[in-house]
Amino acid sequence: MARIVHLAMRVEDIDKASEFYSKVFGFKRVTVPGLRETVRYLTDGTVHIAINKIRPDKNEQPAIDHFGVEVESVEKCIAEVGKFGCKVVSEPGKVVKFSAPGGIIVEAVPVGTKPGIGD
């Protein structure tokens, strides 16, 4: 069975948002080597939260951006979602994201590619 592994949001101040979720809810920071400066990862121990800085040049606003679902095979997932008329919306060679029915963006995450607590 697939499972939700992360939720991504866009905010104006990633440090303030990270501090809020850490102090209010006790979420822990996840260290990811090579991670760009415009994102912070937190976790509740099961699901990761990617807090991304909005890009004003792209006219972005604060929002829940997408959520990631861990799947055994990205290729099989994309074939299956295609049966529902879903379209891949990510750039070729990047992580695979598609628009689910209702317009919500979902990322197909290969099993074992997201860091665990303390990684």
Side-chain angles (χ1 to χ4, degrees):
M1 177 199 314
R3 68 184 184 97
I4 296 173
V5 291
H6 78 264
L7 172 72
M9 62 179 74
R10 293 187 308 260
V11 301
E12 293 174 350
D13 185 329
I14 58 176
D15 293 321
K16 188 173 183 179
S18 296
E19 181 181 24
F20 169 79
Y21 289 105
S22 294
K23 290 190 174 177
V24 173
F25 299 111
F27 294 170
K28 305 290 183 206
R29 185 146 179 201
V30 178
T31 303
V32 180
L35 191 65
R36 64 191 187 282
E37 286 298 313
T38 58
V39 66
R40 300 284 181 274
Y41 278 116
L42 301 177
T43 188
D44 66 0
T46 303
V47 176
H48 287 42
I49 299 173
I51 303 173
N52 296 281
K53 180 157 180 56
I54 62 169
R55 297 176 292 183
D57 60 314
K58 302 267 186 184
N59 242 1
E60 292 180 343
Q61 298 294 317
I64 299 296
D65 184 70
H66 71 275
F67 67 94
V69 177
E70 189 174 62
V71 297
E72 290 291 330
S73 166
V74 172
E75 293 77 18
K76 286 182 184 176
C77 174
I78 296 306
E80 193 63 28
V81 301
K83 295 176 186 175
F84 289 87
C86 301
K87 303 289 185 215
V88 172
V89 296
S90 53
E91 298 175 31
K94 303 276 184 175
V95 295
V96 177
K97 294 179 183 175
F98 58 90
S99 181
I104 300 297
I105 303 299
V106 179
E107 178 182 343
V109 178
V111 168
T113 60
K114 288 294 179 183
I117 298 174
D119 287 353

